[in-house]
């Protein structure tokens, strides 16, 4: 039974995997500061960060001017916590440097809300995995 597709698999030195995350986080106080110019800058920056840190960004968008959605693939050695920390931290520092007016709209120099939402995204349902494991031959 084949429950994966080869085109989704990423080959690393010691493993083959398909690990994907959908992340969402918001601007502190839900301030609507993520305009088209900021989003274009973040689109470019997110690709640079991903390349530097070793993950792939498939989709990145700002929503309603006050939050971001990011869809990434990552190797198992890179935790979701680390990815979010890289993105939120570097984004915050770079945005404050480039768009000085943003700092005036937020207090205490914090760009992002402390929390975030994350879910794993896969091409295989839990039911298919269960069926696959249950139907493995027991050769002992």
């Amino acid at each position: 039974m084949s429950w994966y597709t080869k085109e989704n698999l990423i080959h690393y030195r010691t493993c083959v995997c398909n690990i994907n995350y959908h992340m969402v986080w918001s601007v502190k106080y839900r301030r609507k500061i993520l305009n088209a110019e900021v989003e274009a800058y973040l689109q470019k920056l997110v690709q640079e960060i991903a390349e530097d840190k070793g993950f792939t960004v498939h989709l990145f968008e700002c929503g309603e001017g006050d939050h971001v959605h990011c869809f990434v693939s990552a190797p198992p050695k890179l935790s979701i916590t680390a990815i979010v920390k890289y993105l939120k931290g570097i984004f915050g520092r770079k945005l404050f440097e480039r768009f000085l007016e943003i700092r005036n709209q937020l207090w205490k120099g914090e760009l992002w809300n402390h929390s975030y939402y994350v879910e794993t995204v896969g091409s295989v349902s839990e039911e298919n995995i269960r069926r696959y494991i249950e139907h493995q031959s027991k050769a002992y």
Side-chain angles (χ1 to χ4, degrees):
M1 175 184 296
S2 178
W3 49 270
Y4 64 89
T5 58
K6 286 186 176 183
E7 58 270 3
N8 290 341
L9 299 179
I10 300 172
H11 295 260
Y12 296 100
R13 190 173 61 79
T14 59
C15 72
V16 177
C17 63
N18 178 22
I19 302 173
N20 305 294
Y21 302 104
H22 171 219
M23 302 168 285
V24 182
W25 64 88
S26 62
V27 174
K28 193 87 167 177
Y29 315 113
R30 296 301 287 237
R31 297 274 193 248
K32 300 205 179 284
I33 61 170
L34 304 174
N35 59 34
E37 184 182 4
V38 171
E39 182 175 16
Y41 178 68
L42 290 178
Q43 290 273 4
K44 181 177 152 272
L45 188 57
V46 74
Q47 295 301 335
E48 293 172 8
I49 296 167
E51 185 176 327
D52 182 55
K53 302 299 184 184
F55 59 95
T56 303
V57 176
H58 301 290
L59 191 59
F60 178 87
E61 290 192 9
C62 296
E64 299 175 17
D66 65 0
H67 67 278
V68 299
H69 289 268
C70 193
F71 177 48
V72 305
S73 295
K77 70 177 183 177
L78 196 54
S79 73
I80 186 60
T81 305
I83 294 169
V84 172
K85 183 178 172 183
Y86 293 144
L87 293 175
K88 288 171 76 173
I90 296 169
F91 281 174
R93 188 175 72 252
K94 297 281 191 179
L95 283 179
F96 281 152
E97 288 172 5
R98 178 151 179 178
F99 301 94
L100 299 176
E101 67 277 9
I102 288 177
R103 188 177 293 275
N104 297 333
Q105 296 175 348
L106 299 163
W107 295 282
K108 299 181 184 173
E110 292 184 37
L111 177 62
W112 305 113
N113 189 329
H114 290 285
S115 62
Y116 61 92
Y117 168 81
V118 64
E119 69 180 323
T120 55
V121 180
S123 59
V124 183
S125 70
E126 178 182 344
E127 181 182 329
N128 284 343
I129 292 172
R130 286 183 184 282
R131 197 172 328 131
Y132 178 80
I133 292 171
E134 289 168 356
H135 289 91
Q136 291 298 298
S137 65
K138 300 205 183 327
Y140 51 81

